[in-house]
Structures are given as structure tokens and as C-alpha cells.
């Protein structure tokens, strides 16, 4: 019924505004996920370039004709480079639209839009730098016939983004992709690369959709239950799932049936996880200070390993496990397990 749908839409919008005023703080930890996919050198370059782009965008609010740099033009060439996509990131989590006019204004007011775009820009700039190097590495190994471990890893990273020699036409001297990788074209990447970079950015700065979230979350009748759970599900499936497949599972199998993983890859995931947990702890401290001030709270009372475990779980790396953990500890916060899971 149309009346029920309108009421549901307004209630969902109200719930976003009630539960997300401090969401920008949580979003500040997202850039650390980049470290699990690119080298620290590329991540530092991406952060510096994104900071420059953000500063220039702020200046453009005062001087509208201020020219865009090539890095800005490249980022704006993908869908995620526009502020409006943030509304879809939150608005369609449960398969039911919310009031876009209200949520757009709200997300900008709490700085969630700005922080998310900055994080996306970091992922794009760092990923683009690595992508160019992987393409040139693949071409060089084909020419010399000398295939190193780094070349194999580069080919694997490209394949994960749907890029292979055939669709990139690397055997063609006039290949657009090859010219782009060698910085012989303009700032805007070819269409094939733009699609790959969109996928890369979405895998780091999560955008829950019907593909990467559980199917039941797309049922309109369950919108109120699924609300805001799409992030933790997608985060767990994407980041946690990748860490399990590429690091933990090979190490757990071990022996002849297992396989070794490169030390740099293991270190990358380790550093990324450590920074995410550390950021989660810092963010919880800030949120508790805002909410409770000098009054006691369950987070302030937790000590040592318990605090680290709480921070690890709250990072959402275990996906639905976060809901289960919160439900088991609901009594500490004066709630019940069923209410927490709902």
C-alpha cells in the first residue's frame, strides 16, 4: 500500500537521523582498508593526492572557476566521484528508498559525505597508481619472458578487477589501456579502466547492494530489520572474507596441502587490521566522551584484552558476527538480545 510505503520511508529516514549523527567518526577508519590492497607507498601517495583534491574542491566553493587538476578529473570520471552517490550508499541499504532531499542535507551536515568522498579519492588515487604499474609489469614480462613473483601477483590483481591481456588489448601498439598506463593520454582513463576502478573503490569504501549483501535484505517487508546492517554484512563479506581466503586459511591449512603467502601481503593485512582496530578504539573513546562525558560506561569499564576484542568486533570485520556479539552482551547496556539483533 502506498500509505504504508510512505510511512515506512519516513520512519527509515528518521532512524538514519537518529542513529547516524556520529557516523562521520566511524567513516574516518575506512581509508586504512586501502592498506590491505595496495602498498604503503601507494597509500601515502593516494592520501596526499586526495588531500590536495579536497583542498582544491573547497577553494572551488569560493572560486567556482578554479581549474580542476588532472587527478580531480580522473576521480570525477567514475560514478563514485560524485557526492550524490552517497545517498544511494545509504538510501537503498534495505531495498526501500528514503527521503533523498532530507538525507542528502543531513549527511553533508554531519560531514559524512565529505569524509566518504575523501576516502574514495584515496582508494582511487592509490589504486590507479598500482594499476598502471601492474599493467606495465605484465607487458614487460611478456616481452622479456622473465616472469617474477611480482608479475604473477600483478596479473592476479588485474584479474580480480576483470582485466586480462585480451580485453586490455595489450598486444596492440595502439591500445588505449597501454597508452594510459604509460601516461601518454589525458587524465580520464579508458572506459574499461573506469569500470575496474569503480569496482576497486566499492570494495574498499563499502556500498551495500543486491550483489554483496544477503538476499533477504532486499525484501521491502524486512526493511526495518535490515536497516544499517548492510554495512557490517558487506564489510565482513568483502574485507573479512578476503583476509580469510588470502591469509588466514592458507596459514591454517599449512603443510603440503597449504600454500605460503608472501610476507609483504601478510604484513599489509596485519598493518591494515591493526590500524582499523586502533582507529575503532579511538573512535569509541570519542563517541563515549560525547555521549557520556565523565559518567561511566561499559566501554570505559572494559580493560586490557576485553577492550581490544570489543574494538575488533565493532570494526565489523566479522560481518554478522558483530550482531551476535552485541546480542550476547546486550544486558550490559540495559537491552535484550532480541532488540539488539532487530
Amino acid at each position: 500500500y502506498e500509505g504504508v510505503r510512505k510511512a515506512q520511508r519516513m520512519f527509515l529516514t528518521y532512524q538514519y537521523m537518529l542513529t547516524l549523527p556520529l557516523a562521520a567518526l566511524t567513516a574516518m577508519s575506512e581509508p586504512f582498508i586501502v592498506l590491505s590492497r595496495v602498498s604503503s607507498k601507494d597509500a601515502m601517495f593516494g592520501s596526499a593526492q586526495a588531500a590536495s583534491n579536497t583542498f582544491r574542491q573547497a577553494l572551488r566553493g569560493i572560486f567556482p572557476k578554479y581549474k580542476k587538476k588532472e587527478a580531480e578529473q580522473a576521480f570525477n570520471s567514475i560514478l563514485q566521484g560524485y557526492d550524490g552517490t552517497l545517498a544511494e550508499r545509504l538510501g537503498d541499504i534495505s531495498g526501500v528508498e528514503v527521503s533523498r532531499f532530507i538525507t542528502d542535507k543531513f549527511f553533508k551536515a554531519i560531514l559524512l559525505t565529505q569524509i566518504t568522498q575523501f576516502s574514495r579519492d584515496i582508494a582511487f588515487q592509490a589504486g590507479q597508481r598500482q594499476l598502471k604499474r601492474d599493467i606495465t609489469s605484465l607487458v614487460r614480462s611478456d616481452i622479456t619472458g622473465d616472469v617474477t613473483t611480482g608479475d604473477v601477483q600483478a596479473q592476479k590483481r588485474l584479474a580480480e578487477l576483470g582485466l586480462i591481456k585480451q580485453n586490455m588489448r595489450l598486444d596492440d601498439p595502439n591500445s588505449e589501456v597501454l597508452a594510459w598506463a604509460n601516461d601518454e593520454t589525458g587524465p580520464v582513463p579508458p572506459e574499461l579502466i573506469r569500470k575496474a576502478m569503480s569496482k576497486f573503490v566499492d570494495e574498499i569504501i563499502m556500498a551495500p547492494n543486491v550483489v554483496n549483501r544477503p538476499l533477504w535484505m532486499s525484501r521491502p517487508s524486512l526493511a526495518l530489520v535490515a536497516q544499517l546492517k548492510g554495512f557490517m554484512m558487506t564489510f565482513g563479506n568483502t574485507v573479512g572474507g578476503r583476509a580469510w581466503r588470502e591469509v588466514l586459511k592458507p596459514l591454517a591449512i599449512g603443510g603440503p596441502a597449504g600454500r605460503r603467502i608472501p610476507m609483504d601481503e601478510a604484513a599489509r593485512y596485519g598493518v591494515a587490521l591493526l590500524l582499523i582496530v586502533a582507529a575503532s578504539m579511538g573512535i569509541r573513546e570519542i563517541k563515549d566522551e560525547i555521549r557520556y562525558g565523565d559518567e561511566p560506561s561499559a566501554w570505559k569499564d572494559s580493560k586490557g584484552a576485553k577492550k581490544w576484542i570489543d574494538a575488533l568486533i565493532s570494526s565489523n570485520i566479522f560481518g554478522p558476527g558483530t550482531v551476535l556479539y552485541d546480542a550476547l552482551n546486550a544486558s550490559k547496556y540495559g537491552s535484550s538480545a532480541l532488540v539488539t539483533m532487530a
Side-chain angles (χ1 to χ4, degrees), residues 272-294:
L273 180 59
L274 182 62
L275 289 174
I276 289 172
V277 173
S280 178
M281 292 180 69
I283 290 166
R284 287 285 294 271
E285 291 284 355
I286 296 173
K287 285 184 175 181
D288 258 40
E289 189 64 30
I290 293 173
R291 289 170 176 166
Y292 304 108
D294 295 330

Side-chain angles (χ1 to χ4, degrees), residues 35-62:
L35 290 169
S36 68
R37 300 292 299 273
V38 303
S39 67
S40 57
K41 186 176 180 180
D42 288 333
M44 290 176 64
F45 171 84
S47 300
Q49 191 64 71
S52 174
N53 291 349
T54 301
F55 177 70
R56 292 174 69 90
Q57 187 176 1
L59 285 179
R60 205 168 291 115
I62 304 172

Side-chain angles (χ1 to χ4, degrees), residues 37-38 74-75 77-80 120 123-132 134-135 154-164 167-168 177 180 189-205 242:
R37 300 292 299 273
V38 303
F75 179 52
S77 69
I78 66 170
L79 179 63
Q80 291 81 353
R120 284 173 168 168
F124 177 85
Q125 303 298 340
Q128 180 179 236
R129 183 182 172 94
Q130 177 176 265
L131 189 58
K132 288 182 176 181
D134 287 346
I135 292 172
Q155 187 172 4
K156 177 187 175 184
R157 287 192 293 265
L158 291 170
E160 288 176 346
L161 297 176
L163 299 174
I164 56 177
N167 63 9
M168 290 188 289
V177 173
W180 171 80
E191 183 180 358
L192 182 65
I193 299 298
R194 293 201 299 272
K195 291 179 179 179
M197 289 307 304
S198 291
K199 183 176 186 295
F200 181 83
V201 171
D202 272 346
E203 288 179 350
I204 293 177
I205 310 303
R242 179 182 287 272

Side-chain angles (χ1 to χ4, degrees), residues 62-75:
I62 304 172
F63 308 104
K65 294 184 179 180
Y66 197 61
K67 188 177 179 180
K68 289 186 178 182
K69 287 176 60 178
E70 290 189 352
E72 292 179 273
Q73 295 177 41
F75 179 52

Side-chain angles (χ1 to χ4, degrees), residues 215-237:
L215 187 60
W216 66 267
M217 286 190 167
S218 296
R219 294 184 60 181
S221 59
L222 297 176
L224 297 178
V225 177
Q227 188 180 25
L228 299 180
K229 293 184 177 66
F231 287 113
M232 68 177 71
M233 299 291 185
T234 304
F235 191 93
N237 291 341

Side-chain angles (χ1 to χ4, degrees), residues 4 11-12 26 31 43 61 63 76 89 114 119 140 144 152 170 271 281-282 292 300 309 317 326 330:
V4 175
F11 184 77
L12 290 173
T26 305
F63 308 104
N76 291 153
R89 185 188 184 202
Q114 294 87 329
S119 301
R140 184 175 59 251
T144 62
V152 175
L170 297 183
V271 170
M281 292 180 69
Y292 304 108
K300 292 177 181 178
I309 293 173
I317 198 167
D326 288 343

